[in-house]
Amino acid sequence: MAELLEAVERVARRSDFILGDEVEAFEAEFAAYCEVDHAIGVASGTDALLLTLRALDIGPGAEVLVPANTFIATAEAIVLAGATPRFLDVDPASHVVTADAVEAAWSESTRCVIPVHLYGRTADLGPILEVARARGGAVVEDACQAHGARYMGRRVGTIGDAGCFSFYPSKNLGAWGDAGAVVTSDPELAERLRLLRSHGESPRHHHRICGTTARLAGIQAAVLRVKLRRLEAWNDARRRIAAGFTAALDGTPATPPAPVPPGHDHVFHVYVVECDDRDALRRHLGGEGIAAGVHYPRPIHFQPAFAGIGAGRGSLPVAERLASRILSLPLYPSMNRATAQRVVDAVASFAETSAELRAA
Ligand SMILES: *Cc1c(COP(=O)(O)O)cnc(C)c1O
């Protein structure tokens, strides 16, 4: 905490509030961490996605493929860019989008696919990239839940044309407010993103294109620089706690996440189990003082904001079914053994109660 407050004070004393030295330093450090040429700090993960689509000239008339089970922002960015989202179903085991679904949905007007590394689990980028490249389309990775995860040895976000990150406080790398970044190895795309995040301005008072206010704040960059140094250790802790959960939950009514295939990774932004009676499990855990969440209770094509987008009920059966079965158990890097054990014990006592109910 002292280190973070010191970093914030340093920015405040210099009044370096918007972009500036801390942002440049964070961008260089985050790019180095991701092993990529460019990182562009922006105001949020949503802005990262929106500006990337705009920088790629994806707008009116273009269709963008996106999984139906993600945070709403992935789909919103497509609409905000003026393009049309087309929702994809997902793999029942991994809950992430597959190359087969991308291939089946690709149409004449498809320009881009946004694979989401949901919960911190890597989507199968190799085959997805192959499908998109063969059709001249772009791949924008939504890595907002997967900071630091590796796919076939490379950091997520750096494998598609661009990778988008959110540093919302609860993410694996979290700021003290809203913040985000885009990473890319394409220098022209990086330049366009730098213009778009700040009114298309370069040099001062010369506006090349219409951009917006979507800059990373100096205070957030200062906080992120301190926390970035701990990200690897935090992700390791998340993986270790998750492995403990998975070993303990095997055979209980709470089915643990599917194993991670070779070359894939999972940084457990959230630890999601599946349960036939999810709501009963959630209530039981609540009674034991354990707050479990649902990510996400409604697939996006069921959200009022996306009514009329064309995907009806029953059209994406896996995503629709998962929404009623998934439960996110609490998991955070500093979770101690006793707390982790309480979570596991509470699931075990649910298993006993439901077995007794069945017997009665
Ligand atoms: C958090 C998140 C976003 C949006 O990030 P914000 O910083 O909240 O705008 C986008 N996609 C996914 C998958 C996320 O989890």
Side-chain angles (χ1 to χ4, degrees), residues 44-46 49 70-71 73-74 116 142 144-145 166 171 179:
S44 70
T46 308
L49 289 158
T70 174
F71 182 57
T74 323
V116 179
D142 183 336
C144 290
Q145 301 188 355
S166 165
K171 303 286 162 115

Side-chain angles (χ1 to χ4, degrees), residues 40 42-58 64-67 70-83 112-117 139-145 162-166 171 179-183 189 193 196 214 300:
I40 300 93
V42 295
S44 70
T46 308
D47 280 330
L49 289 158
L50 170 59
L51 299 191
T52 299
L53 293 174
R54 286 195 57 195
L56 290 167
D57 271 323
I58 292 167
V64 179
L65 308 183
V66 62
T70 174
F71 182 57
I72 192 86
T74 323
E76 274 177 321
I78 299 167
V79 173
L80 293 173
C112 177
V113 55
I114 310 183
V116 179
H117 304 295
V139 175
V140 174
E141 295 175 60
D142 183 336
C144 290
Q145 301 188 355
C164 299
F165 292 88
S166 165
K171 303 286 162 115
V182 183
V183 299
L189 190 62
L193 285 161
L196 283 166
I300 297 187

Side-chain angles (χ1 to χ4, degrees), residues 323-346:
S324 65
R325 296 178 51 79
I326 48 176
L327 191 68
S328 309
L329 301 185
L331 187 158
Y332 46 88
S334 62
M335 182 179 249
N336 62 29
R337 269 171 200 280
T339 310
Q341 190 59 47
R342 273 188 46 226
V343 175
V344 164
D345 288 346

Side-chain angles (χ1 to χ4, degrees), residues 67-156:
N69 65 335
T70 174
F71 182 57
I72 192 86
T74 323
E76 274 177 321
I78 299 167
V79 173
L80 293 173
T84 305
R86 169 125 185 232
F87 295 109
L88 302 176
D89 211 356
V90 293
D91 179 66
S94 65
H95 304 191
V96 293
V97 78
T98 63
D100 287 346
V102 173
E103 184 159 32
W106 204 283
S107 80
E108 287 280 281
S109 39
T110 306
R111 294 277 318 281
C112 177
V113 55
I114 310 183
V116 179
H117 304 295
L118 191 71
Y119 310 144
R121 179 195 288 272
T122 49
D124 203 7
L125 290 172
I128 291 173
L129 265 164
E130 244 174 69
V131 171
R133 291 277 184 264
R135 290 157 182 77
V139 175
V140 174
E141 295 175 60
D142 183 336
C144 290
Q145 301 188 355
H147 318 68
R150 287 186 186 273
Y151 174 82
M152 305 298 161
R154 293 165 65 189
R155 296 278 192 202
V156 297

Side-chain angles (χ1 to χ4, degrees), residues 208-268:
R208 293 164 189 253
I209 53 175
C210 281
T212 186
T213 300
R215 298 166 297 228
L216 179 59
I219 285 177
Q220 303 307 342
V223 166
L224 289 166
R225 290 183 69 196
V226 174
K227 290 191 167 193
L228 180 59
R229 288 179 224 131
R230 294 169 176 70
L231 179 57
E232 284 295 285
W234 284 336
N235 280 345
D236 285 343
R238 286 178 186 272
R239 288 192 195 91
R240 180 173 42 73
I241 296 161
F245 279 177
T246 295
L249 295 180
D250 195 30
T252 73
T255 308
V260 177
H264 280 251
D265 196 358
H266 199 326
V267 291
F268 293 97

